[in-house]
Amino acid sequence: MQQKIDPAKVRGEEVSQVEEIAGESMYRCYQCGKCSAACPATPEMDMLPSQVIRYLQLGLPEKVLKANTPWICASCLQCMTVCPKGVDLSRIMEGVRMMQLRHGENRIEMREFDEEYRKRAPQIVFISGLRKFQSLS
Amino acid sequence: MERIGVFLCWCGANIASTVDVHQVVEWLRDVNGVAHAENYMYMCSDPGQELIKKAIREKNLTNVVVASCSPRMHEKTFRKAASLEGMNPYMVEIANVREQCSWVHQGDKDAATRKAFNIIMSTISKAKANNPLETIRVPITRRALVVGGGVAGMTAALELAEAGYYTALVERDDTLGGKMRRLSRTFPYHEDASAVIAPKIEELKANDNIKLYLRSDVTEVSGYVGNFQVTIETRPTEGEDGAPEVVTEEVGGIVLATGYDLYPVAAMSEYGGGKVPDVIDGLEFEELLKESLATGAPVKRPSDGKEVESVVFIQCSGSRDPEHHKPYCSRVCCLYTNKQATLLTQQNPGAKALISYMDIRTDCKLTEEYCQGNIEEKGLVYIRGRVSRLYREGDAVRVWTADTLTGEKLEIDADLVVLAMAIEPSVGAEQISKMFRAAVDTNGFLQESHIKLRPVESSTMGVYLAGAAQYPKDITDSVSQALATASKIQSMFASDELHQDPLVALVNPEVCAACGLCVPICPYGAREVDERARFSRVNEALCQGCGACVAICPNKACMLKNDTPMQVLNQIHTFLGKEEPAQ
Ligand SMILES: Cc1cc2nc3c(=O)[nH]c(=O)nc-3n(C[C@H](O)[C@H](O)[C@H](O)COP(=O)(O)OP(=O)(O)OC[C@H]3O[C@@H](n4cnc5c(N)ncnc54)[C@H](O)[C@@H]3O)c2cc1C
Ligand code: SF4
Ligand code: SF4
Ligand code: SF4
Ligand code: SF4
Ligand code: SF4
């Protein structure tokens, strides 16, 4: 395990794009981890919500562009409620989802869900996760 | 007719490379009233000052204008030099031709030379209208007052009493010692906190110079540095009836050492808001430890007396959270949490201490070694992440946290949870601040007058700050600061009277309408309307010459000595090259 840091990418173009879409600065976060401690969706995530921010702070957007965390995020705002710095992580997740879509990483296709699931799933899934079901093509 | 001497300094090349110093002197020699003009490489040097003295002597000068750097640098130097020749120091004025001219006009020598001349001319016009002034002398009452009888207040009071000064110590509780009475052992040597403080309390009680006011509050403060009047009210002892006893003390210097309180657990809704059993604050845990250390019995939890086998300590509870709680770091909780976890494993062998932390801050002497040593020896487990919530789950307290180092979200069931609650200014700090006119910072802690250079002085002269009332501190730092306040007061008491600059406000009683507008505007409480004489007086010992009253007075009855409206107007007119208005 070794990761090279490219200083040019720290606070670089792609990270700024996520910040712009999210309307949130990555650098307000002081990595306390309280959001991850509060998030109800972590069991399904492949990295903690605070780690999504961490990789972006380090200028490693490629790490989060492959993560499923933003797609698992239910925009429930638990994280923002507890965050000592008032960071709205759900917006950062949205920013990362947008970036993933722009990179053609379209994780979720409506047709992948069977009829039965779509009936069972609570409405919030379809409302807060609306973007997830929009196919770019 | 005045005989003015003008001394233009080169400041090495600082002024001379931008201003044509010889040309300016040429021009000055033709100016009406200028009896002497010269320039020199370094006016502030000994030979430079000698030139000024010589000219005062030989040419019988009435005023001196030194054209040099900002008055903040050398005004005092030149005034002192002039006074050695018998000139009143307030007849010396500084024309700032460095910061306000040469430094900002490099590369334009002609304009800079003309501007330097104008600055000097305008300063001459002011100097001409100056009056000789005498230093204000204020007598000093050599008695002190200390508010708060914690370790900081006790230390300051003892130090002053031992130096021979009568000292009144006001404590609102019925015992001395403050928070130290509740502590078990102290980091880093695990000394018994009560055993450390007890002899100090005895010393205080035995010292004849100390007047102890227990169960007492300060209710009124008036006066100024060297001469305060303080009203103290003492409540009757518990169970006794009767009115409070009221006493007035006259003191010259004051120490505020009102300490801290813990931010209440009730304010932490994410940690149960005080409603979840077995979730306690750091001082409550100190008391459990204290009892265990005294009896030898293991630490038991409050709800059912079960011997505790697992404790989660939550650092930064309420601290470093600008969004919901306190933005600042409470500074001592990293250290005492490590201490508490260590003492726990000592009293309850086999018990597990899990510490939720963001950083381990060890900024006091020996504490890094202390904390690391305990982690190794006692097997304390630090988990890096802030706890998001906790709740009762069966017999345990369930804690949700994350470990940012592994990227795992964690759930821990513990017997007991100890919250290292934020330290906040003690209850009533606001009234103390108002009564003593000692400003507080945005977090309500008493504010030092300069964070680097005047760390124990409050915003009011003669009022000093010690201990956690100013900012969270450990015992070592509280004691150091207390000793500093005692030294400050002793150095004040070492002289017979206080000397103060006479550049203060002045009122023309004929013009003053006693409207009182100047009273609330004065930041130093120096104004008072004399209802019988029907005009507003200036307390010269308090006035700092800020000019606020001059600006607000609708009748132009206030002015600053040697900075009268006429002098200021003349300066502006001169600068603009206009005729001076008639005097
Ligand atoms: C859980 C815990 C553990 C700690 N452990 C350690 C340790 O191991 N080692 C260490 O060095 N430090 C420790 N500390 C820090 C220590 O408590 C402080 O450094 C110390 O108590 C500060 O002393 P103080 O005199 O400034 O304030 P305090 O101890 O708070 O004393 C202030 C006094 O002023 C009185 N008072 C307040 N307002 C008024 C008023 N208006 N009028 C009259 N009287 C008033 C109060 O009643 C009190 O007696 C610990 C702190 C906590 C919270
Ligand atoms: S908004 Fe997303 S990241 Fe935040 S707590 Fe909810 S699911 Fe987790
Ligand atoms: S809670 Fe806020 S500050 Fe803490 S890690 Fe999460 S986003 Fe960053
Ligand atoms: S001293 Fe340590 S526990 Fe206390 S607020 Fe600062 S970092 Fe947090
Ligand atoms: S504001 Fe002026 S007129 Fe009014 S009381 Fe003060 S000095 Fe007198
Ligand atoms: S000059 Fe300032 S300090 Fe002096 S009396 Fe006027 S307002 Fe008060």
Side-chain angles (χ1 to χ4, degrees):
Chain A
M1 262 215 283
Q2 183 159 316
Q3 180 67 53
K4 204 169 156 57
I5 294 286
D6 176 0
K9 286 178 75 181
V10 178
R11 289 183 164 246
E13 179 74 15
E14 272 173 303
V15 178
S16 305
Q17 276 176 7
V18 177
E19 287 189 317
E20 200 172 313
I21 299 167
E24 257 304 343
S25 163
M26 250 18 100
Y27 298 94
R28 276 212 296 154
C29 165
Y30 61 175
Q31 286 296 307
C32 69
K34 198 169 183 179
C35 50
S36 299
C39 176
T42 48
E44 307 304 324
M45 292 173 170
D46 53 11
M47 71 172 64
L48 292 179
S50 56
Q51 289 178 307
V52 169
I53 301 188
R54 188 64 191 147
Y55 281 121
L56 292 167
Q57 288 176 339
L58 290 172
L60 296 170
E62 61 273 20
K63 292 278 187 184
V64 305
L65 286 177
K66 288 194 214 101
N68 79 353
T69 297
W71 302 98
I72 303 295
C73 168
S75 300
C76 71
L77 304 185
Q78 292 271 7
C79 48
M80 186 183 78
T81 313
V82 299
C83 175
K85 302 298 288 289
V87 175
D88 186 350
L89 254 164
S90 72
R91 302 179 68 155
I92 293 173
M93 296 300 184
E94 171 66 359
V96 177
R97 285 196 293 270
M98 292 285 279
M99 292 298 284
Q100 290 199 4
L101 291 171
R102 286 181 193 180
H103 281 77
E105 302 257 357
N106 206 6
R107 283 191 171 270
I108 296 166
E109 284 295 335
M110 196 66 166
R111 58 180 173 279
E112 283 174 11
F113 297 92
D114 60 38
E115 193 66 34
E116 198 49 35
Y117 177 82
R118 271 184 266 163
K119 270 192 205 136
R120 264 195 303 118
Q123 213 162 357
I124 187 84
V125 169
F126 297 101
I127 296 166
S128 64
L130 190 61
R131 285 225 54 92
K132 302 178 188 178
F133 298 97
Q134 282 186 351
S135 167
L136 275 189
S137 46
Chain B
M1 182 68 191
E2 28 326 272
R3 298 176 53 76
I4 301 163
V6 185
F7 302 85
L8 174 54
C9 182
W10 300 12
C11 195
N14 275 292
I15 295 168
S17 69
T18 307
V19 171
D20 184 340
V21 289
H22 302 296
Q23 177 66 71
V24 173
V25 167
E26 274 312 288
W27 287 337
L28 282 167
R29 290 199 167 125
D30 296 336
V31 173
N32 214 359
V34 172
H36 180 88
E38 67 180 311
N39 62 51
Y40 186 66
M41 179 129 30
Y42 289 110
M43 272 301 168
C44 57
S45 67
D46 283 346
Q49 293 183 46
E50 212 35 66
L51 290 179
I52 299 175
K53 290 200 250 177
K54 183 161 169 272
I56 295 176
R57 233 177 8 244
E58 291 177 356
K59 307 224 167 143
N60 204 10
L61 301 179
T62 55
N63 306 67
V64 163
V65 171
V66 184
S68 59
C69 48
S70 153
R72 300 191 76 136
M73 311 294 298
H74 283 302
E75 188 176 69
K76 274 210 176 89
T77 315
F78 296 127
R79 285 193 167 157
K80 176 127 190 281
S83 68
L84 289 175
E85 285 304 321
M87 178 181 275
N88 183 288
Y90 298 94
M91 302 307 274
V92 177
E93 286 292 335
I94 307 293
N96 181 353
V97 294
R98 190 179 76 176
E99 284 83 346
Q100 291 178 2
C101 184
S102 71
W103 277 359
V104 284
H105 301 298
Q106 287 167 18
D108 194 348
K109 198 159 184 168
D110 278 353
T113 304
R114 267 181 281 120
K115 179 167 167 184
F117 179 70
N118 282 343
I119 291 173
I120 293 168
M121 288 301 288
S122 114
T123 311
I124 290 175
S125 84
K126 172 180 193 300
K128 277 199 237 171
N130 273 3
N131 285 312
L133 300 175
E134 291 308 320
T135 308
I136 298 169
R137 292 164 199 278
V138 185
I140 298 171
T141 310
R142 290 207 189 80
R143 296 150 70 96
L145 169 83
V146 177
V147 186
V151 68
M154 284 172 50
T155 304
L158 251 182
E159 193 70 9
L160 285 161
E162 276 168 6
Y165 298 112
Y166 171 94
T167 303
L169 175 57
V170 179
E171 165 58 55
R172 69 175 165 208
D173 271 2
D174 43 22
T175 2
L176 292 171
K179 300 300 177 299
M180 267 189 85
R181 277 186 300 116
R182 295 181 65 186
L183 304 186
S184 56
R185 300 284 188 263
T186 57
F187 58 75
Y189 288 133
H190 290 184
E191 287 174 273
D192 182 337
S194 308
V196 170
I197 202 80
K200 288 262 167 207
I201 297 180
E202 292 318 310
E203 264 181 76
L204 263 172
K205 286 184 178 157
N207 195 312
D208 288 341
N209 283 331
I210 291 198
K211 172 81 175 127
L212 202 53
Y213 291 93
L214 295 175
R215 293 179 312 282
S216 304
D217 297 292
V218 172
T219 51
E220 214 183 310
V221 182
S222 61
Y224 47 89
V225 57
N227 302 273
F228 293 103
Q229 292 85 41
V230 182
T231 310
I232 300 163
E233 257 187 53
T234 304
R235 281 163 268 125
T237 29
E238 197 85 34
E240 263 176 46
D241 297 324
E245 215 172 297
V246 183
V247 176
T248 302
E249 287 275 5
E250 307 256 341
V251 297
I254 294 172
V255 178
L256 300 180
T258 49
Y260 68 95
D261 277 314
L262 290 186
Y263 186 56
V265 177
M268 302 289 294
S269 53
E270 64 264 56
Y271 300 157
K275 297 208 178 78
V276 177
D278 300 323
V279 177
I280 61 177
D281 72 26
L283 282 173
E284 289 169 319
F285 190 65
E286 287 287 335
E287 284 165 342
L288 294 184
L289 281 172
K290 201 178 162 98
E291 188 180 327
S292 162
L293 284 156
T295 60
V299 175
K300 302 186 187 79
R301 67 180 190 182
S303 69
D304 56 4
K306 175 181 181 285
E307 212 172 286
V308 300
E309 285 158 30
S310 56
V311 179
V312 170
F313 294 87
I314 306 182
Q315 291 195 174
C316 306
S317 290
S319 292
R320 305 176 68 190
D321 184 339
E323 196 68 18
H324 311 95
H325 307 292
K326 307 287 180 184
Y328 54 86
C329 162
S330 294
R331 225 185 135 210
V332 290
C333 11
C334 277
L335 299 174
Y336 78 62
T337 298
N338 184 283
K339 169 193 77 178
Q340 293 178 337
T342 303
L343 292 173
L344 168 77
T345 55
Q346 173 194 308
Q347 295 306 104
N348 296 26
K352 297 290 168 8
L354 304 168
I355 303 168
S356 151
Y357 78 110
M358 282 169 67
D359 307 276
I360 306 177
R361 295 184 169 173
T362 56
D363 75 341
C364 303
K365 185 165 178 172
L366 290 178
T367 49
E368 174 63 16
E369 301 92 314
Y370 170 76
C371 288
Q372 295 304 334
N374 289 336
I375 292 172
E376 282 174 42
E377 274 166 40
K378 304 292 179 185
L380 312 178
V381 177
Y382 277 76
I383 301 171
R384 200 202 168 280
R386 248 179 123 108
V387 170
S388 67
R389 58 180 294 223
L390 53 78
Y391 51 95
R392 195 78 190 173
E393 183 66 32
D395 191 28
V397 184
R398 179 162 291 173
V399 174
W400 276 21
T401 191
D403 178 49
T404 61
L405 302 179
T406 56
E408 297 290 342
K409 181 178 162 178
L410 310 176
E411 195 177 272
I412 309 164
D413 286 352
D415 287 336
L416 182 68
V417 170
V418 180
L419 304 178
M421 294 306 306
I423 279 180
E424 61 176 4
S426 61
V427 174
E430 220 181 294
Q431 286 98 290
I432 289 289
S433 153
K434 282 205 187 103
M435 261 191 299
F436 289 92
R437 267 185 280 110
V440 289
D441 61 26
T442 49
N443 299 313
F445 289 107
L446 292 167
Q447 192 165 29
E448 61 292 328
S449 90
H450 187 285
I451 196 160
K452 301 287 168 198
L453 302 177
R454 292 158 73 85
V456 307
E457 289 98 324
S458 79
S459 54
T460 291
M461 283 218 292
V463 178
Y464 301 94
L465 312 172
Q470 183 238 355
Y471 193 69
K473 282 188 196 73
D474 72 336
I475 296 163
T476 313
D477 287 0
S478 300
V479 168
S480 305
Q481 201 184 13
L483 292 173
T485 59
S487 303
K488 289 298 288 184
I489 292 179
Q490 285 177 61
S491 62
M492 180 201 329
F493 287 1
S495 45
D496 295 330
E497 46 189 17
L498 290 169
H499 293 185
Q500 208 181 303
D501 234 358
L503 298 168
V504 292
L506 176 75
V507 179
N508 181 344
E510 310 278 303
V511 181
C512 171
C515 70
L517 281 173
C518 50
V519 177
I521 201 79
C522 175
Y524 302 95
R527 301 304 297 265
E528 200 177 1
V529 174
D530 183 331
E531 289 299 349
R532 278 185 48 224
R534 297 300 297 159
F535 76 96
S536 164
R537 289 185 191 278
V538 177
N539 183 332
E540 295 197 337
L542 285 178
C543 172
Q544 301 292 311
C546 73
C549 58
V550 180
I552 202 155
C553 177
N555 299 318
K556 299 191 170 60
C558 303
M559 59 186 91
L560 287 177
K561 290 186 182 171
N562 282 359
D563 247 322
T564 61
M566 194 53 80
Q567 280 177 297
V568 175
L569 277 177
N570 278 348
Q571 281 194 270
I572 296 170
H573 279 280
T574 313
F575 205 86
L576 296 175
K578 297 203 177 126
E579 280 294 297
E580 285 184 20
Q583 294 283 326

